[in-house]
Structure formats: C-alpha cells, structure tokens
Amino acid sequence: MSAGALASRFTALRQARRRALVCYVTAGFPDAAATVTLVQGLAAAGADVIELGIPFSDPLADGPVIQGSSQRALDNGMTYEGALALIGRARVDVPIILFTYLNPLLAAGPDALRRAVDAGAAGVLVTDLPVGADPPREEWLGSSGLAFVRLVAPTTPPARMAEIARHGSGFVYLISRLGVTGERADLPPELPLTVQRLRSATDLPVCVGFGIARRDQATAVGRLADGIVVGSALVAAAGRSIDGAIDLARELRRGLDAAGGELPGAGAPTRAAGEASRATPPA
Amino acid sequence: MSTLATHDRFGIFGGRYVPETLIPALEALDQALTQALADPAFRSEIDDLLGTYVGRPSPLSTAPRLSALAGAPVYLKREDLNHTGAHKINNTVGQAVLARRMGKRRIIAETGAGQHGVATATICARFGLQCVVYMGTEDMRRQELNVYRMRLMGATVTPVDSGTRTLKDATTEAIRDWVTNVNDSHYIIGSVVGPAPYPRMVREFQSVIGREARRQILERAGRLPHTVVACVGGGSNAIGIFSGFVDDRAVELIGVEAGGEGLDTDRHAASLTRGTPGVLHGSLSYLLQDAAGQVHPAHSISAGLDYPGVGPEHAYLKDSGRATYVAVSDAEALAAFELLSRSEGIIPALETAHAVAWVAAQAGRWQADQPVLLCVSGRGDKDVGQVSALGLGAGEAAGGVGRAGAAGAAPVGETSRR
Ligand SMILES: Cc1ncc(COP(=O)(O)O)c(C=O)c1O
C-alpha cells in the first residue's frame, strides 16, 4: 500500500457518504502481539484508517495515556523496525499511517521511508514537524511515496491553513483543541467554525482529532468533518482489554454512521458539482 | 512558504520542531521580540531593572589562590552576586518585560536547579504576574531550598513525576502547559534551548555578561583573556559570556559539561562531548540518545546540568571549531566546590564548580601573562544541603587549598582529555 491507498479510501468514503474512523494505536502496547490483534480487530470493527504510533521517549504533544503507552512499548523493546514488521503481521485491508515524532524517524536513517513503503505503510504523520520548519526534510517526507499527513491547530490562521494543506496529502488532521492528546468531556464550541475555515482553504478530506472518546461525540463531529481520529480513548481501553478497545471502535462506528449523508461544505465531489460557496459557517 | 529566517539556524542546528499549535505563538513572539529590540524604551526598561533590581554590572574579581593553582591570572565574572544568586535572572527580566508588552499575564517556566524557577518567580512577583514552575520530583528533593523560595514568592511549583523526574521532563511538561494555555501564557524558557526564537532571544538577554566582562577585563588586565571558561547545561551562561568574545578569534572558548560518573559510563550529561545530532524540545542539536533515537537519561550531581540536550548554538560552535567542550566528573566538581569555597571565600553553585574544576586542573597550560576568564554562573547556597548530606565539604581546614586542589586536579585532566 502507499499514498494512493489513502486517497482512494477517502474517495470511496465520500462516494459512500460515509465518515472515516481513524484509529490510533501505539505500536508495542500493551505488547507487539496484542497490537496485531488490536489492529485486526479495529479493521473488522469498521476502522477506515489506522495510525500506528512509533513510541518516543519524550512525546511532548501527548497526554499521560499515550505517553504511558509509549513508555510501556519502549520497555517492551518496540522500535521503528519492529513497528514496520507489525504492518506485515496484521495484513489488514485498511491503510496504515505511521504516527511519529521526528527524532526516531531520523534515527531510522535516510531510507527509513522506503522501508516503510516496502512494509506496506500508506502514509506518515510527524507531530513535531510543522509546515515550513525544515524544507529539506519535509521534501524527503513529501516525495517518499507515502501520503504526508499534516496537522492544523485551532491557533492556525486561515492563510496558513491553506499553506499547510498545500504541503500535505491524504487528509488534513485538524486538532480540535489546544493542548495535548487525551479524552475530554465535551467538544470545543468553536469547532464548526474552525472546520469551515479549513474547508474553504482545502479540498483535502478533514479529520478531527484530540479528545474524541464517545459515540455522541463521533456523531457530532461526523456531521462536520470527513472523519474522526480517536487515540487516547482507544489506548486507555486497550490497556484494560483488547476486546474492550474493539468494542469502543464499534460504538464509534455506529456514532459516525448516524452522521452519514451530505457533508456541509466538503470539497470533491460536492465542490466538483459547483457548490464551492458552501464555505460559510452554519448559523 | 513561511520558512525560518537564517538567524534561527546555527549552521544546521536549531529550528522550530514543535506541534503546529505553537507555531503562531512562536511567530508572534519572534515579531514582538524584533519590535521590542528596535525600541529604545524596551532596552532602557531592562537596563534599569538590571541596574536597580538585579544589581548589575556584576563585579569581576581576581582569584589569587586559584590563579596560583592554574598558573595564570584567573578572573571571576561574578554572576553569583546577582539578585537571586545566578545568571538566570538576566534572562527572566528580559522575557518578563517582553511578556508584559505582549499582554501575557500568566508565566510558565521549567527549572532544574531551581535557579531559573526562582528567577522567574522573582520577576513575576515584582510584576504581579501569575507564575507556574514545573520541576522534577528528583530535583525538588535535591534543591529543596529553591522550592521554598519560589513558593514564598507566590509561584505554584508543579511536581513532575514522569521519566527521569529532572529537567528534561520538567521542560516537556512546561511545553505541554504552553500548548494548552498558549493564548494567555508566555513560556519563559531557562536556557538557550527550545524552538526558535528562544535560543537567540535567551542569548540576547544573557549577552550582558559578555559585554560587561569584555569591558572589565580590558580595564583590569589591559588585554583580552586568553581563555574564557563556563559550565554548560543548556548553555545560557556560556553563550552569554562567549558572546562578548566570539568575534575575537584569538580568544579560546571552553565549555565544561557534566561528566557525571564518567564519560565511559552511561551516567553523564555531556551532550556535546558524547552525544549525536537529534531533535528534542523543539530544536536540532547534540543529544544523548540511543541508536533508535530515544533520548537517553542524563545524569549529573548538579541539577542544572542534568539535561540530555544542549543549546543549538553550542552545537554549531563545536562543529565549527570556534569553541571547545570538555567534561568534568561529579567527584571533580565536588572537589572544586570545596576548593573555591576555601581558597577564595566564594561558594560556587555545583554547576559552576564544573568550570572551576577544569581551570584548577590546567596548571602548565597557560603562561603567567595569559588571563583566564571564568564565569561564576551562580552561588552554591542552594547546594549546601545536598553536599553536606554527602558528608563532604566541611572537613578539617588543614591543607584546604592544596588538598582540594589536588583532589580536583588529577582526575579532571583525565576526563577532559578523553
Ligand atoms: C548556577 C547555574 N549555572 C549554570 C546552570 C546551567 O544552565 P546554563 O547552561 O543554561 O547556563 C544553571 C542551571 O540551572 C545554574 O543554576
């Protein structure tokens, strides 16, 4: 699989008017074998994309749940190479993107991305490599054959949103709120407006993450965006039981499916049909 | 594309490797800094505070007995005499004035030895700003006095119990706080580390050390120093004093890192001497890490040097050959702590003691007319509890200098040549 797998997955989703369920798992948590079982279970439960987290010792964008899982994975001996091997072991029909901090990726060497492509990864997302921070390395990631998923934050001004989208592929990951990863009780009130702003800046699919943990939240976000990213809630559940995490994914799938149908302000195919002026926030 | 200005790279090092959420804040900070530096009122507000509140200029002292040991006239730049007892306040004053201009009412800081936390709490008390300081629980134990001082001045000290429970994890937590509260908070980073523009900004505020020292030594010694020596944790006191001499190509610049239990053990904090390039806390620099890019825990007896990274400008100075970096062990630093106390009546911070140890061990290196400038980055009151608990430092006075000097000398040379 490679960049194309992610693009065709989102095209298919839009045609089916179905929202994407993007599930994050930390490679090697609770252990390597359980990660394989979990990835397979999530795919069967209706995940459309899997983010496979490369554990890092100092995950500064993450809250305590993902930090704890990363530490446990490192204690279990998980590495970049080990994470790539899990892709082959899981053999799922769902695009897998590597979710990593820059340092372990750099340490994996100049052909790290080629090895990821060979292992079957479809994309890569680097939490601490914002657009414009390091053009040569961004070029390396952008031309690797993997989709290069970029992040937009609630603080990102509209002009920069467009710039970020231009330098990314696959989908745009919209961080729903300030702060680090972790479950939250409610959705930020300004989210619809932020999604609308981002929509008018790009035709790439928009998936919203950070803090989504429950079925009702999945439905609410599914009404705004192309998909949701769920991380900490799944990792916390997986820490208790793999079956529990898979059940949660099934719940979130139901929540998302309740939000199906026409997507307000979405790009292609809607925009292709000449409805570009939809980019005004709902009253 | 909004790429970084070249002044935010030091050769290949530096940069801005942070979550997207912080990018607009770093850009706003960069702009505010540029505007402020062009505004004479900003300069004069800082100068006034440095003069009337911090007590600058800090003196340049001679050190007759240390000079005898080193075989060269040693001059001490006395940052230990600043209000709050270290160079850290030069930076916190500058950043707090800037934060106030930017309308930020809440200040975040990380601290290792507690000196930066105290310096931040101090200026926040003075300005009426809310102050939250992150500190590893291991460091809270080692630097209990400073925890009390911060709380006395109204700061909230938040214990950090993850990872190594030291400066690295405190910095990570401080960044997480900033990502969460970026709209109303300013993060006062304590050294020349972090994402751009921090390394350049902190250098700017610490460069007062080098400017003063250059003028003072020209007055007193009638010439430039042969060698300038400073300890390096993140590297702010070293960059501060180096900046006064970096363009004087003949002046040798020496940074002294923490060699911990030895460079051939895995318990040290010598990022430049033993590390490899990597990304931590927003910049690319030398880093203690394993082959998989996982950050290796640092160790030093001194909390302020106990950090696996180092400022990117030092990485550049090392690679370009402009500065040389050496390491001094825990034991050597402890001996030098005692040495400077007994021989000069100056109790240095354990961080500073690393630089003292290196100088004390260099007999024969200099000629009698080659002045050595040593940055006394801070005073050691904060370390007295920790050192006395080790049962060190307060033995019989007999042979104080000679004994401590000898204890400091032999092993130091060995470590720093490795
Ligand atoms: C007295 C003193 N010196 C040196 C340091 C090390 O910091 P830097 O290398 O940034 O000067 C510290 C840090 O806490 C300190 O308190």
Side-chain angles (χ1 to χ4, degrees):
Chain A
M1 244 182 256
S2 64
L6 207 54
S8 39
R9 172 66 57 148
F10 276 98
T11 307
L13 285 168
R14 275 196 182 169
Q15 270 158 10
R17 305 194 163 191
R18 176 179 144 110
R19 306 295 185 263
L21 174 59
V22 182
C23 293
Y24 170 92
V25 301
T26 301
F29 177 80
D31 58 48
T35 306
V36 172
T37 314
L38 179 58
V39 166
Q40 291 167 339
L42 293 173
D48 296 295
V49 177
I50 307 260
E51 288 182 356
L52 186 63
I54 309 293
F56 180 48
S57 53
D58 297 80
L60 57 75
D62 287 299
V65 169
I66 292 181
Q67 177 171 26
S69 72
S70 302
Q71 195 49 56
R72 172 92 170 266
L74 290 173
D75 294 344
N76 290 338
M78 184 48 62
T79 59
Y80 182 78
E81 237 53 56
L84 294 188
L86 295 181
I87 301 176
R89 280 169 67 187
R91 301 182 132 281
V92 287
D93 184 29
V94 168
I96 295 184
I97 59 185
L98 302 177
F99 181 103
T100 186
Y101 286 82
L102 185 56
N103 205 52
L105 184 61
L106 294 181
D111 67 347
L113 299 173
R114 195 190 45 71
R115 300 201 306 277
V117 172
D118 291 348
V124 60
L125 182 159
V126 187
T127 40
D128 54 353
L129 186 61
V131 168
D134 189 336
R137 291 196 174 90
E138 292 172 74
E139 169 62 23
W140 174 57
L141 283 143
S143 62
S144 62
L146 298 169
F148 188 16
V149 176
R150 310 308 291 265
L151 296 117
V152 163
T155 50
T156 307
R160 186 170 161 84
M161 286 181 176
E163 185 181 316
I164 291 172
R166 256 201 320 279
H167 289 88
S169 55
F171 64 93
V172 179
Y173 185 140
L174 174 63
I175 298 171
S176 69
R177 62 182 76 237
L178 301 180
V180 294
T181 55
E183 299 174 45
R184 304 295 201 293
D186 46 20
L187 293 169
E190 69 284 2
L191 185 62
L193 189 63
T194 318
V195 175
Q196 285 298 335
R197 284 215 186 98
L198 180 53
R199 284 238 180 275
S200 40
T202 182
D203 283 345
L204 282 176
V206 173
C207 295
V208 176
F210 275 44
I212 301 173
R214 294 192 319 260
R215 179 176 175 162
D216 61 312
Q217 293 171 324
T219 307
V221 178
R223 295 208 166 101
L224 304 168
D226 297 270
I228 61 169
V229 186
V230 187
S232 298
L234 280 173
V235 172
R240 295 185 293 268
S241 95
I242 298 299
D243 288 344
I246 294 166
D247 286 344
L248 174 60
R250 231 177 257 122
E251 270 291 293
L252 294 164
R253 177 77 265 165
R254 285 192 202 104
L256 274 183
D257 289 344
E262 178 85 8
L263 200 53
T270 317
R271 184 160 302 179
E275 295 186 43
S277 62
R278 289 272 195 114
T280 40
Chain B
M1 181 152 70
S2 60
T3 50
L4 278 182
T6 46
H7 62 204
D8 282 319
R9 288 273 180 192
F10 307 92
I12 63 164
F13 300 105
R16 194 178 270 169
Y17 301 93
V18 292
E20 170 63 24
T21 306
L22 291 180
I23 293 296
L26 289 166
E27 275 170 7
L29 179 61
D30 200 341
Q31 266 171 27
L33 177 68
T34 305
Q35 280 163 13
L37 291 175
D39 177 359
F42 177 69
R43 281 257 171 249
S44 61
E45 185 177 1
I46 291 175
D47 288 348
D48 183 61
L49 282 162
L50 291 179
T52 64
Y53 187 66
V54 174
R56 301 204 74 91
S58 67
L60 188 73
S61 302
T62 54
R65 300 214 278 166
L66 179 59
S67 300
L69 263 180
V74 178
Y75 291 86
L76 307 177
K77 179 58 175 165
R78 300 291 305 280
E79 294 300 301
D80 59 312
L81 293 178
N82 291 339
H83 179 39
T84 72
H87 68 294
K88 297 286 180 185
I89 194 144
N90 304 327
N91 171 43
T92 61
V93 164
Q95 286 203 50
V97 171
L98 185 62
R100 213 163 54 163
R101 281 172 71 108
M102 295 176 72
K104 306 279 181 174
R105 304 294 309 166
R106 180 175 178 274
I107 299 294
I108 306 158
E110 84 296 336
T111 197
Q115 288 303 113
H116 173 60
V118 166
T120 307
T122 300
I123 196 66
C124 287
R126 170 72 195 259
F127 283 2
L129 300 170
Q130 192 192 339
C131 179
V132 180
V133 181
Y134 290 88
M135 189 169 189
T137 49
E138 167 66 11
D139 290 340
M140 290 178 74
R141 183 188 66 73
R142 288 194 277 192
Q143 306 284 340
E144 210 182 318
L145 176 67
N146 277 341
V147 176
Y148 182 79
R149 293 167 81 199
M150 288 183 267
R151 288 182 170 152
L152 182 62
M153 289 184 284
T156 303
V157 180
T158 306
V160 177
D161 211 25
S162 53
T164 47
R165 305 183 172 91
T166 55
L167 182 54
K168 168 178 81 89
D169 302 282
T171 305
T172 299
E173 270 326 306
I175 295 173
R176 288 178 176 144
D177 180 320
W178 199 35
V179 178
T180 311
N181 300 293
V182 62
N183 290 333
D184 70 342
S185 300
H186 173 68
Y187 174 28
I188 300 191
I189 211 162
S191 192
V192 284
V193 299
Y198 278 104
R200 176 169 51 91
M201 174 169 68
V202 176
R203 175 190 59 196
E204 176 68 35
F205 294 139
Q206 290 294 1
S207 63
V208 65
I209 306 174
R211 268 197 309 280
E212 286 176 8
R214 191 172 195 283
R215 178 170 48 73
Q216 289 166 321
I217 200 159
L218 282 173
E219 262 168 40
R220 299 277 290 285
R223 55 161 290 179
L224 287 171
H226 183 274
T227 306
V228 177
V229 188
C231 67
V232 176
S236 67
N237 86 91
I239 283 290
I241 198 159
F242 287 1
S243 69
F245 303 93
V246 77
D247 293 334
D248 303 308
R249 309 303 292 186
V251 175
E252 177 184 45
L253 307 176
I254 304 278
V256 186
E257 296 194 288
E261 294 175 5
L263 292 181
D264 294 331
T265 71
D266 64 357
R267 286 179 56 76
H268 61 74
S271 330
L272 289 159
T273 316
R274 276 290 194 270
T276 50
V279 173
L280 178 68
H281 295 148
S283 61
L284 175 66
S285 186
Y286 278 86
L287 179 63
L288 298 179
Q289 56 183 329
D290 66 17
Q294 307 297 339
V295 179
H296 194 284
H299 162 81
S300 169
I301 189 147
S302 95
L305 304 186
D306 193 349
Y307 182 68
V310 66
E313 190 168 1
H314 286 292
Y316 172 70
L317 291 173
K318 173 191 158 83
D319 278 13
S320 66
R322 179 64 192 95
T324 304
Y325 297 87
V326 296
V328 152
S329 73
D330 286 349
E332 293 157 6
L334 281 166
F337 180 76
E338 189 179 341
L339 166 69
L340 202 69
S341 302
R342 292 199 178 189
S343 66
E344 303 295 344
I346 296 171
I347 303 174
L350 275 178
E351 291 80 14
T352 308
H354 287 73
V356 175
W358 186 82
V359 169
Q362 302 304 309
R365 189 175 205 279
W366 297 292
Q367 280 151 30
D369 63 345
Q370 296 184 321
V372 175
L373 174 62
L374 169 56
C375 188
V376 180
S377 57
R379 70 176 85 123
D381 305 39
K382 68 184 178 62
D383 300 311
V384 165
Q386 188 195 352
V387 176
S388 68
L390 294 170
L392 299 169
E396 287 302 305
V401 173
R403 205 198 68 219
V412 173
E414 201 187 300
T415 309
S416 52
R417 267 197 301 273
R418 272 191 208 141

